[in-house]
Amino acid sequence: MEMNIALLPGDGIGPEVVAQAVKVVKAVGQKFGHKITFKEGLVGACAIDATGDPYPDATHEICAASNAVLFGAIGDPKYDNDPKAKVRPEQGLLRMRQKLGLFANVRPTFTFPSLVHKSPLKLDRVEGVDFVFFRELTGGVYFGEPRGRNEQGTKAFDTNVYSKEEIVRLARMGFEAAQKRRKLLTCVDKANVMATSRLWRETVQELANEYPDVKVEYEFVDAVAMRLIQWPKAYDVLITENLFGDILTDEASVISGSMGLMPSASLGSNVKLFEPIHGSYPQAAGKDIANPLATVLSAAMMFDYAFDLKEEAEAITGVVNLSLAEGVVTEDIAEGGKSYKTSEVGDWLASKVIKAY
């Protein structure tokens, strides 16, 4: 198969972790006989520095012409610490999602047998956890208009807007995923307070009739925030709106014991984007110490979701599990034992793809 992959390393540790994922992707291509072409673009703070735009047109053209996008991270302290900055790296991420039509964020949460003891939760709570969030990405309060401040600057306002169409397309993805898993779907909302949440609940209730094999539960977002900690194994597939999903998926990410291990996908009707859930971690940039496994696992999701190549995806997850079991890991999860550089982990994973699979 021929694959055109856009690379958006971004800021901070993004270039380092993406480089390791590229090593593994190239190894998979060599092993399974795929022709893979990469084309790189700027996004985030580095794009602002180079062009004044966090998501330049040239980058969009590269992404739109690709089969999949492998993305690193965006963010820089010089913008984080300046609330009055008119152009921000995060604006590039939101615009990219909107222009590429990436309306569904898929974030799995699962545990690794060799690292389950690192979870902040008790073993009986987290052992065997395996659920996935489907978060709507291009609607809600992040995109609603009007937004701003009054003339005096003493009041600020954001508008939360959702259409039925936006809810249906996200919910269908959730229902279809639930059919392939444990046939349990949880709709997360705040229908007791918010009009948009009542539309979410009504729409999902109507859609549920088309999926009689899926059990549907409806929970308020505050209750889910508690139950994710109390009993995360109660969940299978969760669907929710943009803001709620942003918060809950970050909460869920630490269940595994490290944010540096969780991948994600952002899906649309055409292009699909894959990224680790961690941030740009600027303190570690350039030190060759960042954990690349979440980005490598995002590449595994890419082979699965973008190319429907299950064996290739499993080859990557297999070598990642092997690296964890054998302790070929970066210092953040080495637990006082031998630690490896970011680049060394990438080299090891790529070599194992060639040799072991």
Side-chain angles (χ1 to χ4, degrees):
M1 180 183 290
E2 292 190 6
M3 307 173 188
N4 294 312
I5 299 174
L7 298 178
L8 304 184
D11 305 321
I13 63 171
E16 296 168 71
V17 294
V18 166
Q20 311 320 309
V22 168
K23 293 176 184 177
V24 176
V25 170
K26 286 181 176 180
V28 169
Q30 179 182 338
K31 183 69 176 179
F32 291 90
H34 302 300
K35 181 181 178 182
I36 304 175
T37 302
F38 300 96
K39 197 162 186 180
E40 190 168 320
L42 296 172
V43 69
C46 63
I48 297 174
D49 292 342
T51 71
D53 187 340
Y55 184 59
D57 289 342
T59 298
H60 177 68
E61 291 172 8
I62 291 171
C63 294
S66 69
N67 304 121
V69 180
L70 192 56
F71 173 58
I74 61 169
D76 190 285
K78 67 183 177 184
Y79 297 99
D80 297 339
N81 298 328
D82 182 7
K84 294 184 179 180
K86 293 183 178 180
V87 182
R88 310 184 66 83
E90 293 76 14
Q91 292 171 339
L93 181 59
L94 295 178
R95 184 142 41 95
M96 177 171 63
R97 289 171 178 169
Q98 194 168 42
K99 290 185 72 172
L100 292 175
L102 303 173
F103 63 85
N105 182 236
V106 185
R107 279 203 187 183
T109 295
F110 47 87
T111 55
F112 300 87
S114 59
L115 290 178
V116 69
H117 61 283
K118 287 183 66 67
S119 173
L121 304 184
K122 293 180 179 179
L123 182 63
D124 67 317
R125 302 286 175 91
V126 298
E127 200 168 35
V129 161
D130 181 9
F131 60 81
V132 58
F133 269 96
F134 283 75
R135 165 195 168 194
E136 203 287 324
L137 269 187
T138 57
V141 73
Y142 291 171
F143 292 93
E145 296 289 350
R147 66 177 63 223
R149 294 191 180 190
N150 64 1
E151 291 182 2
Q152 296 76 28
T154 56
K155 290 185 179 180
F157 52 92
D158 296 283
T159 304
N160 193 23
V161 180
Y162 267 108
S163 69
K164 195 164 187 173
E165 179 185 5
E166 289 173 318
I167 299 166
V168 166
R169 66 184 183 180
L170 187 281
R172 282 197 186 281
M173 280 191 172
F175 274 108
E176 290 167 6
Q179 286 182 316
K180 298 173 183 177
R181 291 170 56 95
R182 303 201 313 269
K183 295 181 170 54
L184 173 63
L185 181 137
T186 303
C187 175
V188 183
D189 60 40
K190 194 62 177 170
N192 58 335
V193 175
M194 298 174 64
T196 49
S197 279
R198 286 190 283 277
L199 179 61
W200 267 83
R201 186 169 292 209
E202 292 167 8
T203 303
V204 174
Q205 287 173 338
E206 293 171 6
L207 202 58
N209 295 322
E210 299 180 27
Y211 302 89
D213 56 329
V214 176
K215 179 183 178 182
V216 184
E217 297 178 342
Y218 301 89
E219 292 191 32
F220 297 144
V221 60
D222 42 349
V224 174
M226 290 186 291
R227 287 189 69 205
L228 281 175
I229 301 303
Q230 293 173 320
W231 197 243
K233 286 188 279 191
Y235 295 113
D236 182 27
V237 175
L238 303 95
I239 60 172
T240 193
E241 60 111 79
N242 206 343
L243 175 61
F244 297 161
D246 192 2
I247 297 167
L248 291 176
T249 53
D250 277 0
E251 179 190 8
S253 70
V254 301
I255 290 174
S256 69
S258 172
M259 282 187 70
L261 296 171
M262 291 292 105
S264 76
S266 296
L267 310 180
S269 54
N270 294 311
V271 178
K272 298 175 174 62
L273 180 145
F274 303 87
E275 62 178 305
I277 68 166
H278 58 67
S280 60
Y281 192 18
Q283 302 90 332
K287 297 180 180 179
D288 205 19
I289 60 172
N291 187 342
L293 295 184
T295 313
V296 172
L297 288 170
S298 297
M301 289 187 74
M302 178 184 72
F303 280 105
D304 189 357
Y305 281 84
F307 302 110
D308 196 27
L309 297 172
K310 308 289 185 185
E311 188 177 358
E312 286 83 337
E314 290 171 0
I316 296 176
T317 57
V319 296
V320 168
N321 282 321
L322 189 62
S323 76
L324 292 169
E326 296 192 8
V328 183
V329 295
T330 45
E331 63 180 33
D332 58 310
I333 53 176
E335 296 187 298
K338 177 177 171 55
S339 65
Y340 292 75
K341 298 294 186 181
T342 306
S343 55
E344 291 174 332
V345 173
D347 291 339
W348 190 91
L349 293 169
S351 68
K352 288 297 181 182
V353 167
I354 297 297
K355 295 175 183 177
Y357 287 86

